[in-house]
């Protein structure tokens, strides 16, 4: 069964750090990209970052550049999103997603990150 | 970045009716790398259409996509009760990948 399982969300104070994890299983992509997309509750979708399966290529949205770091462990089929210097406006559901290229074929169920004092 | 604008913001229809959703890009979308996603409350989005007009696995044929360049359309030929949801377009040709703001299809 194809599955993406996210973890690591929670409540954090402004300025704090949090690391999200996402593990993929059951997918048959030989070469894939893993992505993070976030959604403020009740609002639209915003792409955050992506990484190629071999870790050779990473990109970030301007809103998180310099604060968030995406990394991957191909042996574990896991991608991480290290979020530093968190702001109230980073509060959102963070979805992990995967695809054969930049297209998103599958989504995880999401993990809620709340930045509040 | 390539800004996607969806219209209308809300589409009020009845089951059995035809729904037409629009997505306009501020720049041409290379290779027509445009996707449509459906999202229901409390759920993750689901891929419906990719490459502007190809249906994803398991998607009913009442969903169809068309368009190229800067103008794209998602058509739902006959709305079923389970189709009432929010629909997003997304371009994945250039970074940053961008989403439209969504169209809510309501009864």
């Amino acid at each position: 069964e194809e599955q993406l399982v996210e973890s690591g969300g929670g409540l954090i104070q402004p300025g704090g750090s949090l690391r999200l994890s996402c593990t993929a299983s059951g997918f048959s992509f030989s070469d894939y990209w893993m992505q993070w997309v976030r959604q403020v509750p009740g609002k639209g979708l915003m792409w955050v970052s992506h990484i190629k399966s071999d870790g050779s290529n990473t990109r970030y949205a301007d809103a998180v550049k310099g604060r968030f770091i995406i990394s991957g462990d191909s042996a574990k089929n896991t991608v991480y999103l290290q979020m530093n210097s968190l702001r109230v406006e980073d509060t959102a559901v963070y979805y992990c997603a995967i695809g054969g290229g930049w297209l998103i074929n599958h989504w995880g169920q999401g993990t809620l990150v709340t930045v509040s004092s | 970045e390539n800004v996607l604008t969806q219209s209308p913001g809300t589409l009020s229809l009845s089951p059995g009716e035809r729904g037409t959703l629009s997505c306009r890009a501020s720049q041409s979308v290379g290779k027509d790398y445009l996707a449509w996603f459906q999202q229901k409350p409390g759920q993750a989005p689901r891929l419906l259409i990719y490459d502007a007009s190809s249906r994803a696995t398991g998607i009913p044929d009442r969903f169809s996509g068309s368009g190229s360049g800067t103008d794209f359309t998602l058509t739902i030929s006959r709305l079923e009760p389970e189709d009432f949801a929010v629909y997003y377009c997304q371009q994945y040709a250039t970074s940053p990948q961008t989403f439209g703001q969504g169209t809510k299809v309501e009864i």
Side-chain angles (χ1 to χ4, degrees), chain A residues 71-109:
Chain A
S71 61
D73 184 336
S74 57
K76 296 181 179 179
N77 288 332
T78 298
V79 65
Y80 305 96
L81 187 68
Q82 177 67 42
M83 304 186 295
N84 302 319
S85 303
L86 282 160
R87 304 168 180 168
V88 171
E89 55 265 33
D90 294 319
T91 294
V93 174
Y94 284 73
Y95 291 103
C96 172
I98 191 171
W102 285 4
L103 170 67
I104 294 174
N105 294 91
H106 300 276
W107 299 70
Q109 283 308 299

Side-chain angles (χ1 to χ4, degrees), chain B residues 4-83:
Chain B
L4 302 184
T5 302
Q6 292 185 240
S7 61
T10 303
L11 193 56
S12 298
L13 295 168
S14 299
E17 288 191 306
R18 180 185 185 93
T20 303
L21 289 66
S22 174
C23 177
R24 177 163 290 179
S26 62
Q27 306 165 34
S28 183
V29 177
K31 300 182 181 179
D32 292 336
Y33 277 177
L34 186 110
W36 289 93
F37 297 92
Q38 177 193 68
Q39 188 178 33
K40 297 179 181 178
Q43 296 184 17
R46 176 176 71 144
L47 176 66
L48 299 176
I49 301 289
Y50 64 97
D51 294 352
S53 60
S54 297
R55 263 189 306 277
T57 302
I59 301 303
D61 61 8
R62 64 180 181 272
F63 291 94
S64 63
S66 62
S68 66
T70 61
D71 289 295
F72 299 89
T73 300
L74 174 69
T75 302
I76 312 170
S77 59
R78 296 171 314 279
L79 279 157
E80 297 287 341
E82 62 266 28
D83 299 336

